Amino acid sequence: MKILTFIATASLVASGSLVAFSNSAQASLYTTCVGDGGAVTVSNDLVVPAGKSCTLTGTKVKGTVTVEAGADLVAAGATFNGAVTVEENAYLDLTDTTVKGALSTNSAFGAHLEKSNLKEVDATQGFVYVVDSTLGGSVSTEAGELYVSGSTLSGSLTGDANQYSDVYDTTVKGAITVNGNTLGGVFCASEVYGAAKYAGNADNLQLGGESLIGSCAGASYFGGNLAVTDNTAKAVLDNAIVRGGLTATGNDPVLVVGELARVRGTVTGETATAGPASSRSAEEAAPQDRGADLAQKAAARAAAARADAHGAGKSRL
């Protein structure tokens, strides 16, 4: 019996699949991916083994997807019916891909999501770079880098203790919370329909307008209350409509409100009027749009992953 079990397991490993036997003798089957995979359907779970690379083009996975520690998964035109998990120092790159389950990362290198449809994202450390995508749930990141551009979120957006949380040309139908970011954050030419809270952030906070971190030509809209509190960041609110009230307490320096900002509700706390000279000097001293840096980082890791997968040959999916 042991000999037969060994032969069956070895055969499945050779074909790209593994069988794990539980104490109840029931088999739990999953498929491994190393190399380049094409337009096939994987009827069970998919695993990219630790330190390996997998590319998928037009692939459908009916089960869950796991990118193990140090591994890379680059997918285009794929469909994942289950959850996706990205482990320590692993990388996920999705283009024109649908993920019907939740995406979670834990100490990953990062996740690049472009022109894709996802349910929700929960990330701890690493970067989350979302471009021209639709998310049916919420995005929550902690201790990483968050950059969202040209996208729509049905849920909330949270950046907790990140390096920064930047939002460009994006609609957030839920709330937005940016708390304890060491390099502050940007909200540019975007809309949020729930409450917005920026608290305990350092460096720079640019809520609309042209100053501080980068250019922001379009107007922004805060559909609920906006709270900017207890920040040590240089904070500016400009070229924006706040439909609810504005709370600006405990900020040092105080929140600067530009001439193109309109607050429909009550203003609580201390604010200052923008001065042209100070705005120009802040803009010159501050970093530019951080999306280019993240794009470069993602492109370099994706290129290395594709080369590694191609070197491994065709995956046996």
Side-chain angles (χ1 to χ4, degrees):
M1 186 67 176
K2 290 182 179 180
I3 294 175
L4 291 175
T5 299
F6 174 78
I7 293 173
T9 302
S11 175
L12 285 165
V13 170
S15 65
S17 300
L18 298 175
V19 169
F21 289 94
S22 66
N23 292 332
S24 63
Q26 292 180 338
S28 176
L29 182 66
Y30 65 89
T31 300
T32 61
C33 179
V34 177
D36 296 322
V40 299
T41 297
V42 178
S43 60
N44 43 36
D45 297 342
L46 181 75
V47 175
V48 184
K52 302 298 183 180
S53 295
C54 167
T55 66
L56 299 175
T57 304
T59 309
K60 182 176 181 178
V61 179
K62 291 187 175 180
T64 64
V65 175
T66 301
V67 188
E68 293 187 338
D72 301 299
L73 174 59
V74 179
T79 300
F80 303 147
N81 285 350
V84 177
T85 302
V86 186
E87 298 180 352
E88 184 177 0
N89 196 37
Y91 176 63
L92 178 70
D93 192 298
L94 303 181
T95 304
D96 293 317
T97 290
T98 297
V99 179
K100 297 181 181 179
L103 166 61
S104 61
T105 75
N106 188 9
S107 300
F109 177 80
H112 172 212
L113 316 172
E114 186 161 355
K115 297 178 181 177
S116 293
N117 293 280
L118 294 94
K119 183 177 181 181
E120 60 186 52
V121 177
D122 186 2
T124 302
Q125 298 186 7
F127 69 80
V128 175
Y129 179 38
V130 184
V131 182
D132 298 335
S133 293
T134 301
L135 292 102
S138 298
V139 173
S140 177
T141 63
E142 181 180 358
E145 300 164 89
L146 174 62
Y147 188 97
V148 183
S149 175
S151 298
T152 300
L153 283 66
S154 294
S156 61
L157 179 71
T158 302
D160 186 29
N162 285 338
Q163 291 184 48
Y164 57 83
S165 300
D166 292 352
V167 180
Y168 287 83
D169 189 27
T170 287
T171 298
V172 180
K173 296 181 180 179
I176 182 169
T177 302
V178 177
N179 179 66
N181 284 222
T182 56
L183 297 178
V186 176
F187 189 84
C188 168
S190 297
E191 304 171 24
V192 55
Y193 288 92
K197 179 181 179 181
Y198 288 80
N201 300 288
D203 199 54
N204 290 303
L205 282 177
Q206 180 179 329
L207 309 180
E210 296 283 345
S211 63
L212 294 182
I213 296 175
S215 177
C216 182
S220 292
Y221 178 77
F222 295 88
N225 294 325
L226 170 62
V228 183
T229 60
D230 302 318
N231 298 286
T232 59
K234 296 175 182 177
V236 173
L237 171 67
D238 201 5
N239 198 15
I241 295 174
V242 180
R243 187 71 179 85
L246 170 64
T247 301
T249 57
N251 299 303
D252 185 14
V254 299
L255 173 68
V256 173
V257 178
E259 62 180 7
L260 296 180
R262 300 288 183 270
V263 180
R264 305 302 189 199
T266 302
V267 177
T268 304
E270 185 180 3
T271 63
T273 303
S278 61
S279 294
R280 283 197 302 269
S281 62
E283 185 176 7
E284 290 167 1
Q288 297 303 305
D289 186 338
R290 291 176 280 227
D293 293 336
L294 269 189
Q296 185 176 15
K297 185 188 295 188
R301 180 76 178 238
R306 289 188 185 95
D308 189 44
H310 185 68
K314 188 175 180 181
S315 178
R316 299 175 180 177
L317 295 180

